[in-house]
Amino acid sequence: MDNTLHQHFADIEYLPGATAADYLDACRVKHPALYARLSLDRMRANRAVFQQIDSMSTTFEGTDKGGRGETYRQTQVRYPLARTLGIKSLFDILMPDGGSGKYILDVLGGNGTLTRTMRLVTPPADMPEIFTGDSAGSMVTDALARGFPAVRQLAQSLLLADRTMDGVIFAYGTHHVPVPDRLTALTEAHRILRPGGRVLVQDFVENSPTARWYSEVLEKYTLTGHDCAHFTEDGIRTLLEDAGFGNVRVTKVYDPCVVWADSADEAWVELLKYLVDLFGLEGLRPKNDQQGHDHWRMVREILSPYAEYLAGDDAGQLDSIKLWQDNGRHAAELPRVALVATGDRPA
C-alpha cells in the first residue's frame, strides 16, 4: 500500500489494537485473494462507518462492551460440527455445481463458523474460498488469528469491490440486521456479485417455533436480550426482488443442532451446555454452588418444553430432542427448520 493511503488509514482503529493500515498491510501478505477484492476507495469514502461500527455490534463483542461474544466464539470452536447438516445444505444450494474456484462472502461470519465447518467436511479440491465478514472487531480478530481471511464491515456497507464475488451468504444471524437496513444489505450483496452470482439468505420464519425459541428463551435468559424481527416467506422474496435479484426461490431446510458424547445422558448434558454457551444463556449457567448433573437436569426441565415445541417446526416425525447412536457414540439433536431464499444476479 502506498504511503498516501497508509497515512489515510493509519488513524482509524479498525480492529482492537490495530489500525485499518495495520489490517490492510497484514491482509495483503496473508490473504492476497481477499486484499485484491477489497475496495480501498470504499474504505476511504466510508470513514464514518468505522466511527459508528463499534456502537452497532455490541451483542457479539466481549462482556466488557456488554456483549456475549466470548462464549459464542469458544463454543463455535469447541463444537465445529454441531450445525454441519444445515451448513452443508446451504452451500449445496448456493453452489449446486460445486465450490472449486469460487469466492464466497459469509457476511455474518463471526469468527469463521462456516469456513471452519466446511473445511472439516469438504475435500480441499471442492472447497470454495470463503471470506468471513462481521461487524464485531473481536470476531474478526479471532478469525484472522485462526488463519481465516476476514474483513470487518457492516452488512449494509460492504468493503468489497463491485462484481468480485461468486456468492454471498447471510446465515445464522440475519435477524440481527436491522429491518430498515435489510434492503440496503441485499443491494450491497447484489453490487459485489459477478453477473450470474448467487445470494443466499438463511433465517427463521417469524412466529415459528424456532423464531420463538430466539425471542422467548434468549429474551429471558441472555444479558443482551433478543429484540430482533425474523422473516416471512413473502417478505424475504420481496426483499430479494427489490434488491434486483432474479430467479428468486424460497424453501425450507432442516437445520438441527447435534452434539455427541459417550452416553445418552452425557449427550443431553453436552447439548444443554452447547445451547447455554452458544446463545449466552447466562440466566441458566451454573453458579459455583450449582455444579454437576443436578443443575443440568434443571436446565433440561426449563428448556424441554421449548424443545418439544420446536419439534412442530415442520420437522417431520421428530419427538422433541432426538437421541440416537452411531458406531457406539450417542447424539442429542435439537430440531430446527430454517427459511432459505436465493436469488441470482442477472447475467
Side-chain angles (χ1 to χ4, degrees):
M1 186 166 56
D2 65 54
N3 289 334
T4 302
L5 283 175
H6 191 286
Q7 292 173 1
H8 185 84
F9 294 117
D11 65 335
I12 300 173
E13 185 176 357
Y14 181 65
L15 296 170
T19 67
D22 296 332
Y23 166 78
L24 289 169
D25 285 341
C27 186
R28 179 176 55 181
V29 174
K30 297 179 179 179
H31 305 294
L34 171 58
Y35 182 82
R37 288 162 177 78
L38 291 174
S39 171
L40 300 184
D41 288 339
R42 288 187 65 81
M43 293 185 73
R44 181 163 47 189
N46 283 274
R47 289 178 63 90
V49 170
F50 298 116
Q51 296 169 356
Q52 71 178 144
I53 196 169
D54 279 329
S55 65
M56 300 180 69
S57 59
T58 56
T59 297
F60 292 102
E61 291 289 6
T63 53
D64 60 324
K65 294 186 177 180
R68 52 185 173 94
E70 286 100 342
T71 59
Y72 184 88
R73 291 192 297 274
Q74 294 163 6
T75 305
Q76 300 285 25
V77 174
R78 195 164 66 248
Y79 300 90
L81 298 176
R83 291 184 284 190
T84 298
L85 183 59
I87 290 172
K88 190 67 170 63
S89 297
L90 297 184
F91 277 89
D92 288 343
I93 294 171
L94 183 67
M95 306 175 304
D97 299 325
S100 178
K102 294 185 178 178
Y103 294 91
I104 310 297
L105 175 65
D106 176 12
V107 177
L108 310 168
N111 64 337
T113 300
L114 301 190
T115 304
R116 182 180 300 106
T117 299
M118 288 297 289
R119 287 186 179 182
L120 290 173
V121 301
T122 306
D126 299 329
M127 182 71 187
E129 180 76 47
I130 304 174
F131 302 143
T132 294
D134 206 88
S135 63
S138 56
M139 289 290 181
V140 174
T141 297
D142 191 67
L144 292 168
R146 298 178 188 280
F148 302 151
V151 54
R152 189 183 188 191
Q153 58 188 358
L154 292 174
Q156 57 270 36
S157 185
L158 302 178
L159 299 180
L160 280 81
D162 297 358
R163 303 188 177 199
T164 54
M165 304 303 297
D166 299 296
V168 176
I169 185 167
F170 295 79
Y172 303 105
T174 313
H175 48 269
H176 286 286
V177 179
V179 173
D181 295 331
R182 291 176 181 177
L183 178 58
T184 303
L186 288 172
T187 303
E188 278 288 274
H190 187 281
R191 176 184 64 78
I192 68 171
L193 279 170
R194 295 190 176 109
R198 175 168 292 178
V199 68
L200 181 147
V201 183
Q202 178 263 17
D203 203 74
F204 303 99
V205 177
E206 186 66 88
N207 292 321
S208 70
T210 305
R212 289 184 61 181
W213 161 275
Y214 279 85
S215 62
E216 295 174 13
V217 176
L218 271 67
E219 182 65 27
K220 185 174 182 179
Y221 295 110
T222 67
L223 299 178
T224 58
H226 189 77
D227 185 18
C228 299
H230 292 266
F231 292 79
T232 66
E233 294 183 44
D234 289 342
I236 201 168
R237 181 186 298 277
T238 299
L239 278 172
L240 286 168
E241 292 173 346
D242 288 349
F245 290 100
N247 193 30
V248 175
R249 298 181 180 181
V250 182
T251 187
K252 291 181 179 178
V253 169
Y254 186 52
D255 191 2
C257 300
V258 183
V259 299
W260 295 82
D262 293 328
S263 70
D265 283 345
E266 289 175 343
W268 251 113
V269 172
E270 281 300 304
L271 178 61
L272 295 173
K273 288 180 179 177
Y274 170 79
L275 296 173
V276 167
D277 288 343
L278 182 72
F279 294 113
L281 304 178
E282 297 301 322
L284 297 180
R285 194 178 301 284
K287 307 299 186 291
N288 291 333
D289 59 348
Q290 293 180 313
Q291 300 294 332
H293 190 68
D294 286 344
H295 175 82
W296 293 111
R297 182 175 293 114
M298 179 270 289
V299 175
R300 177 177 173 175
E301 291 174 357
I302 291 172
L303 296 185
S304 284
Y306 291 101
E308 293 169 4
Y309 185 50
L310 284 173
D313 199 358
D314 297 330
Q317 302 302 312
L318 293 175
D319 298 319
S320 65
I321 296 297
K322 181 180 179 182
L323 296 172
W324 48 283
Q325 296 184 56
D326 186 37
N327 291 327
R329 294 278 284 169
H330 294 257
E333 179 174 329
L334 178 75
R336 305 190 311 172
V337 173
L339 180 68
V340 175
T342 59
D344 300 334
R345 175 167 179 168

